[in-house]
Amino acid sequence: MIQDQLAACGLEGCRGAILIDGSPAVLTEKALKNHEGILTSKGALAVETGKYTGRSPEDRFIVDTEGVHDQIAWGSVNKPFSVENYEKVKRAVCDYLSVRDIYIVHAMAGADTRWCRKFFIVCERASQALFSRQLLVRPSKRQLADFEPQDFSVLVAPGLKLNPEVHGTHSEAAVLINFDEKIVLIAGTQYNGEIKKSIFSVMNYLMPVEEDVLPMHSSANMDPVTGETAVFFGLSGTGKTTLSADPQRMLIGDDEHGWSEGSVFNFEGGCYAKAIRISAATEPEIYRAIRFGSILENVVVDHVTRKPDYFDGTVTENTRVAYPIDYIENAQVLGQGRYPNVIIFLTADAFGVLPPISRLDINGAMYHFLSGFTSKVAGTERGVTEPQPTFSTLFGEPFMPLSPLRYARMFGEKLQAGGTRVYLINTGWTGGPYGVGRRMELASTRLMVSAALDGTIESSDFVHDEIFNVDVPTHIDGVSDQVLQPRETWTDKAAYDECAHRVAKMFVDNAAEKYPDMDPEVRAAGPVA
């Protein structure tokens, strides 16, 4: 069976040793033996990923085949790659892996078996096989017996350096997705996030095209008593993982989900959390999950005591930890929840003008879903050293292959069908822009999230923000009334007005440029320049 699975992705006649579905203990041992990392004082495997400490968007391509040409939203994000050059890269990857020891992982994407897909992952490094095993859904014995043929294959060759002049790539590294051949090729980068996000991109194409499932770059949790489910949208660094890991609720997943007709389900079986500046006091659930079987990325470790220093960003601000979801004490290990009662959009506004929490109607929700306004946080991508304002469509533009309007209309239909409440929460700055104001206090944000989840926010009076066209509560228990109104936190009110109008115009200009075909009622629900 394994030879047929290898042959299906072009790997025939492998001459190295093959380890299939190694346990965390075995893969950790192999990684240590291969000098891929070191063991920390708590038993986690700590690795460094070399020059690539974040995703490399310029090196990601979709192969422009006849089967998907008319489906993909081509542009600066979904860049086309020729079939001819893809064949060159595939041959280079297969030739490279076929003479090396390889680690194979059979994994699933999708906790709901009705919609899941089978992924066959071939890795050069044991640590990347461990990452794949811990991050994805681990198949049962019955699912393993019924695995062939796989739905998609992922070949990971970080040690292979490509030649742009020969292979047609942007650099020595490449992430290529071929939907017709059902293969992902990853070469030249050791950053584990490329494995995770390429699989997410595949699911973001398959779910709407082959199923009536909306893929979401989101975390999700549920009330353990009522079963009420909440979904959190947000880019890396906005608090998606932190805010969904609530000790009073059960975690469904921290990053990637599908919204089907009757449920929300995790695409993954693990979590990939930012580790910079975490502590037992601020993020106890994540902190306790860092133990044997977890993988730390680019965290500085004392080589004598083997204690990680989570406050040291010398290597990168984008330090990470990966672990299976059952390492979170209150996880919903089945990875499924009911139809969501509440949707929360998280944004880190570096200008400090958006309200810390506001309520959206369906059209407003679709507008902000399309806008995806936030700030890129230092280290999330190579070259980003301080927060930068950005619009990331659907709060996950780099991973969405189809037209954004297609996803947004699905989103609106599901909101309408479920009567779901939607809130926009700013986890960014208050009292002024980045460099002048301060970051929103996590404790206050948690209180706002709780008020949204339990519905007590609806007992407050609301005022309409005429610039951003949202409804803002005037009171939430435990939060200063002044903080809820961002203009009141600025010393210079005229400066706030000027900055708020400037940000509103950014929204308007972004929508006009990206979405000329946006429904008029959705456009009218956005900010007013």
Side-chain angles (χ1 to χ4, degrees):
M1 181 178 75
I2 197 67
Q3 295 305 325
D4 291 338
Q5 292 170 354
L6 287 166
C9 54
L11 276 169
E12 298 183 87
C14 293
R15 299 195 290 276
I18 301 175
L19 178 62
I20 304 170
D21 295 322
S23 67
V26 169
L27 290 172
T28 299
E29 287 176 350
K30 292 288 186 180
L32 294 172
K33 183 179 180 181
N34 297 341
H35 305 290
E36 296 177 23
I38 61 174
L39 214 58
T40 69
S41 57
K42 297 293 185 181
L45 177 68
V47 300
E48 293 189 1
T49 63
K51 64 182 286 188
Y52 294 92
T53 58
R55 291 186 307 102
S56 188
E58 293 301 316
D59 294 311
R60 175 192 177 273
F61 300 89
I62 295 175
V63 182
D64 190 2
T65 58
E66 184 177 352
V68 302
H69 178 78
D70 294 331
Q71 295 269 16
I72 303 298
W74 301 109
S76 59
V77 172
N78 296 311
K79 299 183 293 294
F81 199 78
S82 73
V83 174
E84 178 184 3
N85 284 333
Y86 164 78
E87 292 295 343
K88 294 177 184 177
V89 176
K90 181 183 176 183
R91 178 45 46 206
V93 170
C94 290
D95 287 347
Y96 180 87
L97 291 175
S98 66
V99 296
R100 284 166 171 78
D101 295 347
I102 55 176
Y103 304 87
I104 292 173
V105 178
H106 294 88
M108 318 288 285
D112 190 326
T113 55
R114 295 174 297 175
W115 320 116
C116 69
R117 293 296 187 270
K118 299 173 288 187
F119 281 82
F120 180 74
I121 306 169
V122 182
C123 299
E124 174 189 0
R125 293 167 65 88
S127 56
Q128 291 191 308
L130 177 62
F131 174 88
S132 302
R133 182 195 184 281
Q134 302 294 61
L135 254 290
L136 292 167
V137 177
R138 293 157 287 283
S140 65
K141 289 183 178 180
R142 186 172 67 177
Q143 289 172 322
L144 276 175
D146 191 36
F147 203 90
E148 188 178 338
Q150 63 263 35
D151 294 310
F152 238 88
S153 301
V154 183
L155 308 185
V156 190
L160 173 64
K161 308 302 180 186
L162 299 172
N163 184 336
E165 294 183 3
V166 173
H167 299 106
T169 56
H170 174 261
S171 73
E172 65 184 11
V175 179
L176 308 181
I177 303 174
N178 189 321
F179 286 105
D180 278 6
E181 280 204 355
K182 299 181 178 179
I183 292 176
V184 175
L185 304 177
I186 301 175
T189 172
Q190 297 177 35
Y191 182 62
N192 288 324
E194 299 287 17
I195 301 173
K196 169 189 166 71
K197 292 305 185 184
S198 62
I199 291 174
F200 185 35
S201 298
V202 168
M203 293 294 285
N204 291 346
Y205 176 88
L206 297 179
M207 291 295 98
V209 171
E210 298 182 357
E211 319 286 356
D212 184 26
V213 172
L214 174 68
M216 303 179 291
H217 184 209
S218 67
S219 58
N221 64 24
M222 61 184 289
D223 187 298
V225 177
T226 66
E228 292 184 342
T229 299
V231 172
F232 299 76
F233 284 93
L235 293 180
S236 177
T238 58
K240 191 162 74 309
T241 298
T242 299
L243 292 170
S244 59
D246 184 335
Q248 305 303 316
R249 297 173 67 88
M250 298 180 71
L251 179 68
I252 297 171
D254 82 323
D255 198 46
E256 300 166 4
H257 291 82
W259 186 350
S260 66
E261 183 178 349
S263 69
V264 166
F265 63 94
N266 197 354
F267 282 170
E268 303 177 292
C271 301
Y272 190 45
K274 288 181 73 70
I276 194 70
R277 289 179 288 279
I278 68 167
S279 69
T282 58
E283 297 176 270
E285 291 81 13
I286 298 173
Y287 188 85
R288 288 194 294 267
I290 305 174
R291 57 181 192 264
F292 184 79
S294 299
I295 307 100
L296 285 170
E297 279 187 350
N298 300 313
V299 174
V300 174
V301 178
D302 187 299
H303 280 256
V304 176
T305 65
R306 296 295 180 90
K307 291 182 177 180
D309 184 352
Y310 299 113
F311 288 80
D312 190 334
T314 302
V315 179
T316 177
E317 286 280 306
N318 191 37
T319 56
R320 294 275 177 170
V321 58
Y323 48 86
I325 196 166
D326 57 12
Y327 279 23
I328 296 292
E329 294 174 8
N330 59 331
Q332 214 289 41
V333 294
L334 295 179
Q336 300 179 52
R338 291 184 352 193
Y339 209 90
N341 302 83
V342 175
I343 299 285
I344 290 177
F345 293 146
L346 297 169
T347 179
D349 170 28
F351 294 95
V353 293
L354 282 177
I357 185 167
S358 53
R359 183 177 60 190
L360 306 174
D361 62 14
I362 289 178
N363 288 322
M366 291 175 66
Y367 184 95
H368 283 277
F369 187 51
L370 282 166
S371 297
F373 175 73
T374 190
S375 300
K376 289 180 181 177
V377 178
T380 302
E381 292 180 6
R382 297 174 65 215
V384 178
T385 57
E386 62 181 30
Q388 296 180 359
T390 186
F391 289 89
S392 184
T393 304
L394 315 175
F395 293 92
E397 184 174 22
F399 325 116
M400 300 296 182
L402 305 175
S403 164
L405 293 177
R406 182 169 180 175
Y407 296 109
R409 285 168 184 152
M410 287 183 71
F411 181 63
E413 290 167 1
K414 292 183 181 296
L415 290 178
Q416 183 72 46
T420 305
R421 294 181 285 115
V422 185
Y423 302 92
L424 176 66
I425 291 183
N426 174 21
T427 64
W429 279 258
T430 183
Y434 173 77
V436 176
R438 65 184 187 280
R439 192 77 190 256
M440 203 75 66
E441 292 182 0
L442 179 59
S444 294
T445 299
R446 288 192 186 278
L447 289 171
M448 290 181 246
V449 169
S450 295
L453 296 183
D454 63 22
T456 56
I457 189 174
E458 294 300 324
S459 64
S460 169
D461 292 328
F462 284 78
V463 295
H464 191 71
D465 187 309
E466 298 295 338
I467 298 176
F468 294 108
N469 206 6
V470 295
D471 293 326
V472 182
T474 59
H475 179 77
I476 291 176
D477 287 346
V479 181
S480 166
D481 291 348
Q482 182 187 39
V483 168
L484 294 174
Q485 310 298 323
R487 189 174 188 270
E488 298 306 311
T489 67
W490 283 52
T491 302
D492 188 338
K493 301 298 190 289
Y496 170 86
D497 294 339
E498 186 277 329
C499 190
H501 282 287
R502 181 157 49 93
V503 172
K505 188 175 187 304
M506 291 170 59
F507 274 94
V508 173
D509 291 346
N510 175 73
E513 177 185 351
K514 286 187 175 180
Y515 316 116
D517 298 327
M518 181 187 288
D519 296 338
E521 59 271 24
V522 174
R523 190 181 305 277
V528 179

